[in-house]
Amino acid sequence: MLFNSYIFVFVFFPLCLLGYYGLLHWKKPKMAKIFLTIMSLWFYGYFNLSYLLIMVGSIAFNYIFHLLLSKHPDKKLMVLAVTGDLSILFYFKYFDFFLTTVNGVFGSSFALRGILLPLGISFFTFQQISFVADTYRGEVKNCSLIDYALFVSFFPQLIAGPIVNHDEMLPQFRRVGRESAKWEKIAEGFGLFVLGMAKKVLLADTFGQGADYGYDNIALLGCMDAVLVIVFYALQLYFDFSGYCDMARGIGKMLGIEIPVNFDSPYKATNIVAFWKRWHITLNRFFTKYVYIPLGGNRKGAARMYLNLMLVFLLSGLWHGAGWNYIVWGAMHGVLYVATRFCQRQIRGGHIWQTGNEGQNLRKEFATIDNGVINGVTKKEPALYKIRGRIMTLMSQILLFLYVSIAWVYFRAQDIAQANRLLAAAFQGKVQKISLDLAECFRLDEFWYVLKILHLDNRAYSRYILMAVILAAGLYLAMAGSNAAQRMERVKYRAGSVCILAVLMVWSILTFSGVSTFLYFNF
C-alpha cells in the first residue's frame, strides 16, 4: 500500500487513527499495540500476500534467536541468526545476480530463477540483524513478542526505512497508552505528512517523467538534454526519498510515535562526509556500528581506515541493488569519501601549509568546510573573509551536487553500459536546442492554463517555461530552502497556513491517478 494512494488516505489511515485512539480512550494499551501490528501487517500484505508470509517468518525466526541469546549470549548463536537473515536476503535479492555473474565469468548457462523481490526486505532484514546483534551484546532485555513484532512491522517505516534501533522505538511502544493524545503533535504530523506528499507527487513524479524520458531515449539526447536528465533524476530521487521520510515521520507523530530523522537536506552539504551525515542517516549509522567498527574502524592506522571505508561504500552500493552499476556507484562515493577524509586529516594535522604566519592563517581559514560553515575566520577584513567564505561554500556545494548527480547515473541506469551512454551524451554530445519532447514532460495542465491566461502559450519558448520554473524551484528547495521539518517547526496554524496545507493536500490527491511507486521500495 502506498502512502500516496486513495485507499491509504481515505480508508486505511482513518481506520488506523480511529481504532488506535479509540482503544487508548478505553484504556486498552496492549490491544492498541496489537491493533497497530495487525494494521501494519495489512499494510505490508496489501502488495502481495506472499510478502507477508516472508516477513512473518522472518519475525518468528529472529525472535526465537532473541529469546535464546537473552538467556545464553553465545557468539555462535548470534552468527547463526545473522547468517540466516543474510541467506534469505541473498536468495531473494542477489541469487539471480550471482548466477548472471557466474555465467559471464565461466561461460556457464545456469538458468535464472526470476525471483520476485519482497518489498522493503533490505530494510527489515538489517533492522532485525541489528536487534539480534544488540541482544547478544546485552543491550536488549525483556522484549515481548508483540513489542518486537511492532518494532519490525510498524508500517510508517516498514517499506523504505529508516532502519530504526531498539532503543529508539521499544521505549515508545512500551509507553503506548500511558500518555493522552497530544493535539499539537497530531497537527505537526499532519502538516509534515502533507508537505512530504506534495514533495513526492508534485515534484518527484514530475522530475521522474523527465528522467524516464531521457533514460528511454538516450540516443536522441543532445548535450544539454543529457545534462538536464542527470539533474532531473538527482532531484527526483531527492524529493522522492525526502518526501517519503517526511510522510513516515508525520504518520508517526499523528500516532504519538517519534520516528528518527533519516534525511536532512543532503544537497546543502559541501563535502561528501557531510553529505553522508544527511543522506540515509540510519543506513550510514548501521554500517558504521555493525561493519566499519567491527572491521577495526580507525583504530588500526590510516591505511586500514581508508580500506574499511571503501569496503563500507562497496557494501552500501551492493545493498541498494544487485548489479555492478550499484557497486560502481558505491565505489564513486567511497573514492571521494576517502580522498576527503585524507585531506581533512592532513589539514587538521597541520601537514599542509606548514611554513610561516601566512601558512597558519590559511590553515585556520580553510581548516574545514562542513555543512556550509567556514572555520577560522579572523577579525582582519571581516567582510572580505565573509564573502570569500560564502563563495567557497557555494562552489563546494555546487561541485558536490554535480559529482553526486553523476554518480546517480549509475544508480538509475539499468547497467553500466547505459550509464556510460548517458554520460557520453552529456560530455561529448552535440550542443543543440533542448528537446521539445523533454520539455513536454513538464507540461502540467494546471500551470499551462496560467500560461494561457498570460497569453504566453503561443510563444516559441512557452514549452520551456514550465520546465525552467519547476527546475529552478526544485534546485532552490533542495539546495537552499528550508526543509519540511524546519518549516513545520516554525508554522503556526492560522488561516493562511491551513489554506496552504489544504490546497497542497487536495492538489496532491488529485494527482494520485498518475502516481509512481517510491523509488526506495526497490531496495
Side-chain angles (χ1 to χ4, degrees):
M1 192 180 301
L2 297 171
F3 292 160
N4 49 316
S5 62
Y6 296 118
I7 188 172
F8 181 86
V9 172
F10 294 113
V11 179
F12 178 88
F13 195 55
L15 287 176
C16 185
L17 281 176
L18 290 172
Y20 179 69
Y21 282 111
L23 289 168
L24 292 186
H25 175 75
W26 292 102
K27 298 181 180 180
K28 301 288 185 181
K30 186 174 182 179
M31 289 301 299
K33 285 193 284 188
I34 294 173
F35 175 78
L36 273 186
T37 304
I38 293 172
M39 295 297 286
S40 296
L41 295 177
W42 174 23
F43 178 87
Y44 189 73
Y46 182 83
F47 293 106
N48 189 318
L49 283 178
S50 62
Y51 293 164
L52 185 59
L53 294 175
I54 294 167
M55 191 182 70
V56 170
S58 179
I59 290 172
F61 173 82
N62 284 278
Y63 188 70
I64 289 171
F65 275 95
H66 162 70
L67 294 177
L68 293 173
L69 288 167
S70 297
K71 296 179 180 179
H72 306 287
D74 187 341
K75 187 175 182 179
K76 292 181 180 179
L77 277 177
M78 186 270 291
V79 171
L80 181 61
V82 172
T83 301
D85 284 326
L86 292 178
S87 298
I88 294 171
L89 181 62
F90 174 82
Y91 176 77
F92 283 104
K93 190 168 184 177
Y94 301 105
F95 192 71
D96 276 357
F97 172 60
F98 171 74
L99 291 180
T100 302
T101 303
V102 169
N103 288 342
V105 173
F106 298 102
S108 54
S109 56
F110 292 110
L112 302 183
R113 300 292 183 86
I115 301 167
L116 186 64
L117 178 67
L119 294 176
I121 188 171
S122 297
F123 289 95
F124 67 72
T125 299
F126 270 31
Q127 191 164 308
Q128 294 189 97
I129 287 174
S130 69
F131 187 87
V132 168
D134 290 344
T135 301
Y136 165 73
R137 294 172 178 177
E139 297 176 14
V140 186
K141 297 182 183 297
N142 302 321
C143 180
S144 68
L145 176 59
I146 187 60
D147 283 347
Y148 180 71
L150 185 55
F151 166 74
V152 177
S153 66
F154 188 48
F155 72 89
Q157 49 85 47
L158 172 61
I159 302 297
I163 302 170
V164 296
N165 287 336
H166 66 91
D167 55 353
E168 294 169 325
M169 306 303 292
L170 290 182
Q172 296 190 74
F173 293 146
R174 288 166 182 157
R175 290 197 301 269
V176 166
R178 299 180 183 179
E179 300 176 354
S180 58
K182 297 180 179 179
W183 295 106
E184 64 276 9
K185 284 293 183 182
I186 294 176
E188 181 184 351
F190 173 76
L192 200 54
F193 176 82
V194 171
L195 292 179
M197 184 165 58
K199 280 186 188 180
K200 164 59 184 169
V201 301
L202 302 181
L203 288 172
D205 288 348
T206 301
F207 285 118
Q209 292 181 39
D212 290 344
Y213 170 82
Y215 278 89
D216 291 339
N217 300 276
I218 293 178
L220 304 178
L221 302 180
C223 174
M224 291 304 300
D225 293 331
V227 170
L228 285 173
V229 168
I230 291 171
V231 174
F232 291 160
Y233 181 70
L235 292 175
Q236 178 196 6
L237 189 59
Y238 174 91
F239 289 113
D240 184 277
F241 194 19
S242 67
Y244 180 92
C245 291
D246 290 336
M247 295 170 80
R249 292 190 68 224
I251 293 167
K253 285 179 180 291
M254 285 188 273
L255 293 170
I257 304 294
E258 286 290 339
I259 294 175
V261 174
N262 198 33
F263 201 90
D264 184 21
S265 302
Y267 289 160
K268 292 180 182 178
T270 52
N271 65 57
I272 197 68
V273 176
F275 175 86
W276 278 103
K277 291 178 181 178
R278 292 168 171 264
W279 182 283
H280 214 327
I281 298 168
T282 58
L283 179 64
N284 185 43
R285 180 180 65 184
F286 177 92
F287 277 117
T288 299
K289 183 176 180 180
Y290 300 103
V291 179
Y292 176 72
I293 292 176
L295 286 174
N298 59 1
R299 304 187 304 276
K300 298 184 178 181
R304 180 63 177 272
M305 178 188 73
Y306 299 139
L307 175 61
N308 292 340
L309 288 171
M310 277 302 302
L311 288 173
V312 165
F313 277 100
L314 291 175
L315 287 173
S316 176
L318 192 59
W319 177 86
H320 279 91
W324 288 104
N325 51 311
Y326 290 103
I327 296 175
V328 171
W329 169 81
M332 291 180 68
H333 277 266
V335 167
L336 183 59
Y337 196 99
V338 167
T340 303
R341 285 291 296 270
F342 174 80
C343 292
Q344 289 179 341
R345 284 169 63 89
Q346 294 297 309
I347 293 170
R348 290 168 181 168
H351 301 300
I352 295 179
W353 307 315
Q354 293 189 13
T355 60
N357 293 331
E358 181 180 357
Q360 293 179 5
N361 290 335
L362 284 171
R363 281 200 299 275
K364 290 180 180 178
E365 180 180 352
F366 299 108
T368 181
I369 307 176
D370 282 336
N371 300 320
V373 178
I374 305 295
N375 293 334
V377 175
T378 66
K379 293 182 180 179
K380 182 181 179 181
E381 298 181 316
L384 178 61
Y385 275 86
K386 189 174 182 179
I387 293 171
R388 185 186 300 179
R390 287 180 176 177
I391 292 173
M392 288 179 61
T393 298
L394 180 61
M395 290 303 297
S396 298
Q397 187 180 357
I398 292 173
L399 289 173
L400 178 66
F401 174 76
L402 293 175
Y403 184 91
V404 169
S405 298
I406 291 171
W408 286 136
V409 174
Y410 290 94
F411 193 88
R412 166 62 174 81
Q414 295 177 358
D415 50 40
I416 294 175
Q418 186 188 44
N420 290 340
R421 288 198 300 272
L422 180 58
L423 292 175
F427 291 102
Q428 301 173 12
K430 295 180 181 180
V431 178
Q432 59 190 39
K433 185 179 178 181
I434 297 172
S435 167
L436 280 175
D437 291 332
L438 183 60
E440 281 292 313
C441 296
F442 293 82
R443 183 176 172 175
L444 305 180
D445 290 339
E446 54 267 43
F447 287 126
W448 190 250
Y449 294 133
V450 175
L451 295 184
K452 285 187 175 182
I453 292 172
L454 297 174
H455 302 290
L456 295 174
D457 56 309
N458 292 322
R459 303 282 184 177
Y461 54 82
S462 61
R463 297 188 181 184
Y464 298 100
I465 294 176
L466 287 180
M467 183 177 71
V469 169
I470 295 171
L471 177 60
L475 288 171
Y476 171 77
L477 291 173
M479 302 184 71
S482 299
N483 58 40
Q486 292 168 337
R487 291 180 185 277
M488 289 312 304
E489 287 175 358
R490 298 195 304 264
V491 74
K492 295 181 179 179
Y493 278 95
R494 296 172 180 169
S497 57
V498 170
C499 287
I500 291 173
L501 288 175
V503 169
L504 287 176
M505 184 171 184
V506 172
W507 188 6
S508 298
I509 290 173
L510 291 176
T511 66
F512 279 1
S513 58
V515 78
S516 66
T517 187
F518 286 99
L519 296 179
Y520 259 75
F521 277 15
N522 298 318
F523 311 126

